[in-house]
Amino acid sequence: MRNKDVEKLIKKTMIGAIDRIEQRFGRFWGFGFPEENRTEKQKLVYEIFMELREDILDIGNDQIRKISNERRKICC
């Protein structure tokens, strides 16, 4: 499997995970509603979600880099 194919699969996994979190828990931060209509509690929950989202993306991107580096070692 090529690096680009592996990268696409990992990215789909990351985005899919984030999407499922939004779908199942988004009501707790007013997902789909204007930010100015959110309560203070919803704003706090949204901040927590954004931190989690960033963590998921960072971990996935780190895995992509590791796979790319390992493949470079093997092939060259």
Side-chain angles (χ1 to χ4, degrees), residues 19-33 37-39 41-43 45-46 49:
D19 178 63
R20 279 161 186 81
I21 293 167
E22 286 176 336
Q23 296 304 315
R24 292 198 172 104
F25 296 102
R27 67 178 180 267
F28 295 114
W29 68 80
F31 180 66
F33 293 99
N37 293 349
R38 293 181 185 155
T39 65
K41 185 175 181 179
Q42 287 174 321
K43 289 176 184 178
V45 173
Y46 181 71
F49 163 70

Side-chain angles (χ1 to χ4, degrees), residues 23-67:
Q23 296 304 315
R24 292 198 172 104
F25 296 102
R27 67 178 180 267
F28 295 114
W29 68 80
F31 180 66
F33 293 99
E35 187 176 340
E36 61 271 8
N37 293 349
R38 293 181 185 155
T39 65
E40 288 304 313
K41 185 175 181 179
Q42 287 174 321
K43 289 176 184 178
L44 176 63
V45 173
Y46 181 71
E47 287 179 31
I48 293 168
F49 163 70
M50 290 304 288
E51 290 172 7
L52 174 61
R53 179 184 182 278
E54 187 175 327
D55 288 346
I56 290 169
L57 294 174
D58 287 347
I59 291 167
N61 288 326
D62 186 47
Q63 294 304 311
I64 290 169
R65 278 189 295 280
K66 286 178 181 178
I67 290 169

